Amino acid sequence: QVQLVESGGGLAQAGDSLRLSCEASGRLYSSAVMGWFRQAPGAKREFVAAIRWGRGSTYYADSVKGRFTISKDSARNSVYLEMNTLKPEDAGIYYCAKDSSLDFTRAFWGQGTQVTVSS
């Protein structure tokens, strides 16, 4: 069973950058898909970005395209989310997830890390 631990959240001002990290315990096979989701207060959790562990193919929500970058480090069993040009609407709890498909219907989830963006 995979355990995911996020880090790197915090307080930022609009226009700033933050980098989130997610370290996975256990082996990640090439078929794995790692993703980032976020949830703002009172809102549903939404997809942010994903990366295929084997191919490295990346996927983004339209709201973050061009501003956020997902990447991985296989040696560290880690996935990252570089967030640039942050906006107040990017605030929320960011969760790391691991699944074997992009629908994330049977995902393992991390505990989340808080991102706050002030205007």
Side-chain angles (χ1 to χ4, degrees):
Q1 187 164 345
V2 174
Q3 289 188 327
L4 306 172
V5 179
E6 304 98 332
S7 61
L11 175 63
Q13 291 188 331
D16 283 353
S17 298
L18 280 177
R19 187 184 192 225
L20 306 183
S21 300
C22 171
E23 183 174 358
S25 66
R27 182 175 178 179
L28 291 176
Y29 293 91
S30 59
S31 58
V33 181
M34 300 294 292
W36 287 98
F37 289 72
R38 67 187 181 190
Q39 187 169 20
K44 293 182 179 179
R45 185 156 53 187
E46 64 175 0
F47 170 77
V48 175
I51 186 167
R52 292 191 183 276
W53 197 253
R55 298 178 181 179
S57 305
T58 57
Y59 308 85
Y60 296 95
D62 288 342
S63 58
V64 306
K65 279 181 182 177
R67 300 188 299 121
F68 290 13
T69 302
I70 188 170
S71 62
K72 66 182 179 74
D73 185 336
S74 299
R76 296 178 183 272
N77 245 26
S78 294
V79 62
Y80 308 99
L81 186 67
E82 183 75 33
M83 306 185 292
N84 297 317
T85 319
L86 283 164
K87 303 176 181 180
E89 52 264 41
D90 293 321
I93 300 175
Y94 281 69
Y95 297 91
C96 178
K98 182 263 178 184
D99 205 327
S100 56
S101 67
L102 283 168
D103 61 16
F104 288 95
T105 55
R106 292 177 292 177
F108 292 97
W109 296 91
Q111 82 288 351
T113 185
Q114 178 74 49
V115 172
T116 303
V117 184
S118 62
S119 57

